Amino acid sequence: MDKEIKNEKGVPAEEQSLVTYQTSGAEEYGEVVLSINRCSKVVKGGRNFSFGALVVVGDKNGRVGYGYGKANEVSDAIRKGGEAAKKNMVTIPRRGTTVPHTVNAKFSGSKVMIRPASEGTGLIAGGTMRAVLGLAGVVDVLTKSLGSSNPANVVKATFKAIGQMNSKKQIREKLGKI
């Protein structure tokens, strides 16, 4: 397992992302930790800390998933989140290097808009949606995140938008053209 930490200038240490590439058989997944939450419980002897980690996993070929892992150690929470993400994989329809059509979705207080872009535009997205779409293998896309910037809600809204996308073949089948 190869690990590298993206050290971005001007970004606080807790927001720097850990990117892990795991090779298991023929499948290779990229893994990004989007947020780590610390929770404390006051007990007789002091405080007990537990951690929750939001993890996104993708193969950069149209499959991506997210998971939330909770444990008493950060590394265990990240591992559990990665395992949950691999069980929660979805396929994103693509048209070339972009998405097939414009989609708007809302989850809780977060709203996202995903629009196709011409080739060479690049991945224009905020941090949370950039991680999801980048790991899905989408190269050219325009996005906007509105409302709450809570990473968990933005990821869930992004996956809701991905679920609303249809490929050209799916639409033709729905209309009875095939």
Side-chain angles (χ1 to χ4, degrees):
M1 184 165 58
D2 301 325
K3 288 187 180 181
E4 66 179 71
I5 296 177
K6 287 186 177 176
N7 192 359
E8 300 166 9
K9 301 281 188 228
V11 177
E14 60 269 8
E15 292 182 18
Q16 292 178 1
S17 57
L18 173 70
V19 179
T20 307
Y21 295 99
Q22 295 181 339
T23 308
S24 57
E27 300 180 23
E28 184 175 313
Y29 293 111
E31 185 177 282
V32 176
V33 178
L34 290 178
S35 69
I36 297 176
N37 298 325
R38 186 179 76 172
C39 182
S40 63
K41 176 182 177 183
V42 179
V43 293
K44 184 177 177 183
R47 292 186 180 95
N48 284 346
F49 293 106
S50 62
F51 300 90
L54 179 64
V55 181
V56 177
V57 171
D59 65 355
K60 296 198 176 203
N61 196 22
R63 289 183 45 79
V64 67
Y66 76 95
Y68 193 78
K70 293 185 260 186
N72 290 331
E73 298 290 330
V74 176
S75 59
D76 290 339
I78 293 171
R79 180 184 51 78
K80 286 182 180 180
E83 290 171 1
K86 287 176 187 168
K87 291 177 186 174
N88 187 24
M89 299 282 276
V90 297
T91 303
I92 180 169
R94 294 182 296 171
R95 189 185 70 205
T97 60
T98 188
V99 294
H101 55 86
T102 302
V103 180
N104 294 320
K106 181 179 187 290
F107 184 88
S108 190
S110 296
K111 296 176 215 144
V112 297
M113 179 190 67
I114 302 174
R115 294 178 59 194
S118 59
E119 197 169 326
T121 302
L123 181 58
I124 299 176
T128 309
M129 276 199 293
R130 176 181 291 273
V132 173
L133 295 172
L135 286 172
V138 179
V139 179
D140 301 309
V141 70
L142 301 167
T143 66
K144 184 65 183 171
S145 176
L146 303 163
S148 172
S149 61
N150 178 350
N153 288 340
V154 173
V155 167
K156 289 175 184 176
T158 304
F159 273 83
K160 191 173 177 182
I162 289 170
Q164 293 174 1
M165 285 184 201
N166 293 312
S167 66
K168 191 174 182 179
K169 184 179 178 182
Q170 290 170 324
I171 293 171
R172 290 176 62 105
E173 285 175 2
K174 193 174 181 182
L175 295 173
K177 301 280 184 179
I178 292 180

